Amino acid sequence: MAMSAAVGFTVANPHALAVILDASETRSIIATRDIFDLSGTKLWARDQPVSRELQRKLMDRQLRHPLEACLYAENGVTSRSLVQSLEELLQHDTPLGVLLRPHDEKLVHSAMHIPLHPVAQLLLSAGQASRPEAFEHALQAMALAGALVLAQGADTRALRQAMLCGLLHDLGELYIDPLHGEAEADRVPDLQSYRHLVVHPHVSRLLVEQLTNYPSEVARAVGEHHERLDGSGYPNRLQGEQVSPLGRLLAVADAVLAALRAGPNQLVRASVALRAVPGEFDQRWVGLVADAARLQPTPQPACDAGELRQRLTRLDESLQAMQDKAGVLVLAADTPALRGAIGLALQLLQRLRTGFNASGLWGGAEWAPEELAEIEAAEAELQFRLRAIQRAARLYAGQGLTADDDQRLRLLCEGLSPA
């Protein structure tokens, strides 16, 4: 797994190394010190540019110092280039821009003063060159985290810290196979893929804690950006006060950005995503996004009210049938792992249905025309959440299932994928 290769950073992570080597073809990445393995063998000389030969020399070698602490991107990300990238982002007429534009001057000014530790600078530079979509996501998270705290009247220190957290929060994704990144999270990966995905917040935290001198609250927050206040997040299923204030902010920012990638009516979808399950997110950040969505022109729905109601009725019937079937699967389960996975899935499903019932999705009242786009977005979010419940159940069950229990788990997941 990606985690075992990253903990301690005594061995070069193959995925991060691949990103760095890809970037070295267009950026000047040099060694800032001699690189030795634990036996004292010199593997690479100080001031020598990185090349593909380094990959061969590092193979299976334990290092005296983490590789990331030995390299620097000479023509990589700087405070000035970060500001330029942010200014370009702010010029785009996008749903995200609605949230950012009221604060654009303060965001740009603050970006100039965000401290770039050499390890963070190396990884951001490598990501920008090799995985530009990952750098763009980091830039968006930096800006959105800053805009949210500014809307709450943050001072200069709080603003810079929030923006730094957004910039760093997904560095751990460079340490997992790109096939398993967050961009793939809308599908239902197999168990191994999901195990890779859920570890990246922990790797991000380790990077900041062990390889930089950033404040401990920054490291903690980047490790919490997928936690949820109700305990349904990952990697540690933290609850309530166990999640730091900065972690709560990052969770909202990351969820908003995920919703903005989801297709039409993105700002409405983001607002719905944050309100889908009561108790998931910190309400003071949720309200800011909901207010921005309400101020936008009413989006045009993709279908009429009759078709949408029929789809939701079929979905509701399928979910009720799945809940009934789950009770039978629990009784037939051979292993505690499957019983626990089904119990978790039912718990998450009940919370999800409670939230959507409160929204009036399956009520008998007629929908006003201006409500259709939000209800359509709610339906899309519900489908997305059902896929997330499948992933959580697969992860909980693990790999030690009997053949019969493995089949039962598949039946459970099929029930969470209604047509």
Side-chain angles (χ1 to χ4, degrees), residues 314-369:
R314 289 195 299 269
L315 179 58
D316 188 35
E317 291 170 350
S318 296
L319 294 182
Q320 184 60 57
M322 192 283 298
Q323 286 183 283
D324 295 340
K325 181 189 295 183
V328 177
L329 293 174
V330 165
L331 293 175
D334 295 328
T335 59
L338 181 61
R339 288 192 290 272
I342 294 175
L344 174 63
L346 286 174
Q347 176 189 353
L348 295 175
L349 179 61
Q350 186 56 51
R351 290 185 59 81
L352 183 62
R353 297 194 78 198
T354 297
F356 278 95
N357 282 334
S359 74
L361 267 183
W362 289 296
E366 290 297 318
W367 298 325

Side-chain angles (χ1 to χ4, degrees), residues 259 266-277 280 289-290 293 356 373-382 385:
Q266 296 105 319
L267 205 51
V268 172
R269 173 70 180 273
S271 175
V272 168
L274 295 179
R275 295 179 286 116
V277 177
E280 271 190 319
V289 179
F356 278 95
E374 181 169 357
I375 293 172
E376 196 171 62
E379 181 202 16
E381 180 64 20
L382 177 57
R385 294 303 189 97

Side-chain angles (χ1 to χ4, degrees), residues 89-341:
L89 173 66
L90 292 168
Q91 290 171 3
H92 295 164
D93 185 17
T94 64
L96 178 60
V98 174
L99 296 167
L100 302 183
R101 258 184 241 105
H103 313 287
D104 54 1
E105 290 185 8
K106 290 184 178 179
L107 291 172
V108 169
H109 182 266
S110 185
M112 179 62 76
H113 300 282
I114 290 177
L116 289 175
H117 185 278
V119 170
Q121 189 267 357
L122 168 71
L123 295 175
L124 289 168
S125 302
Q128 185 182 39
S130 181
R131 297 187 190 175
E133 71 287 346
F135 179 78
E136 183 70 11
H137 177 70
L139 187 72
Q140 292 172 348
M142 178 190 78
L144 181 55
L148 290 174
V149 297
L150 280 171
Q152 293 282 8
D155 60 22
T156 299
R157 180 182 180 278
L159 171 59
R160 291 177 186 173
Q161 195 167 67
M163 293 179 71
L164 177 62
C165 287
L167 186 64
L168 304 178
H169 79 286
D170 260 350
L171 287 181
E173 278 217 36
L174 299 180
Y175 288 71
I176 64 174
D177 190 315
L179 293 175
H180 307 315
E182 282 191 72
E184 303 299 315
D186 59 342
R187 63 184 177 86
V188 182
D190 58 29
L191 177 62
Q192 190 65 17
S193 296
Y194 193 49
R195 283 181 180 273
H196 279 78
L197 175 62
V198 299
V199 82
H200 83 267
H202 180 62
V203 178
S204 295
R205 177 172 185 162
L206 290 178
L207 281 164
V208 177
E209 276 183 341
Q210 297 183 14
L211 302 186
T212 80
N213 58 359
Y214 290 131
S216 59
E217 55 264 38
V218 172
R220 178 180 174 183
V222 300
E224 296 172 337
H225 72 272
H226 278 293
E227 300 290 354
R228 300 292 181 258
L229 299 183
D230 63 355
S232 64
Y234 63 82
N236 296 313
R237 300 191 67 189
L238 302 179
Q239 296 185 46
E241 295 301 319
Q242 293 176 315
V243 185
S244 69
L246 275 172
R248 298 177 185 208
L249 168 67
L250 282 187
V252 168
D254 197 64
V256 168
L257 292 177
L260 295 182
R261 295 194 299 264
N265 304 337
Q266 296 105 319
L267 205 51
V268 172
R269 173 70 180 273
S271 175
V272 168
L274 295 179
R275 295 179 286 116
V277 177
E280 271 190 319
F281 296 102
D282 191 320
Q283 286 301 302
R284 67 173 178 156
W285 309 119
V286 171
L288 296 172
V289 179
D291 290 345
R294 280 193 292 269
L295 292 174
Q296 295 307 292
T298 302
Q300 193 67 27
C303 65
D304 60 33
E307 180 184 344
L308 184 56
R309 191 175 292 279
Q310 288 178 0
R311 292 207 309 252
L312 288 171
T313 298
R314 289 195 299 269
L315 179 58
D316 188 35
E317 291 170 350
S318 296
L319 294 182
Q320 184 60 57
M322 192 283 298
Q323 286 183 283
D324 295 340
K325 181 189 295 183
V328 177
L329 293 174
V330 165
L331 293 175
D334 295 328
T335 59
L338 181 61
R339 288 192 290 272

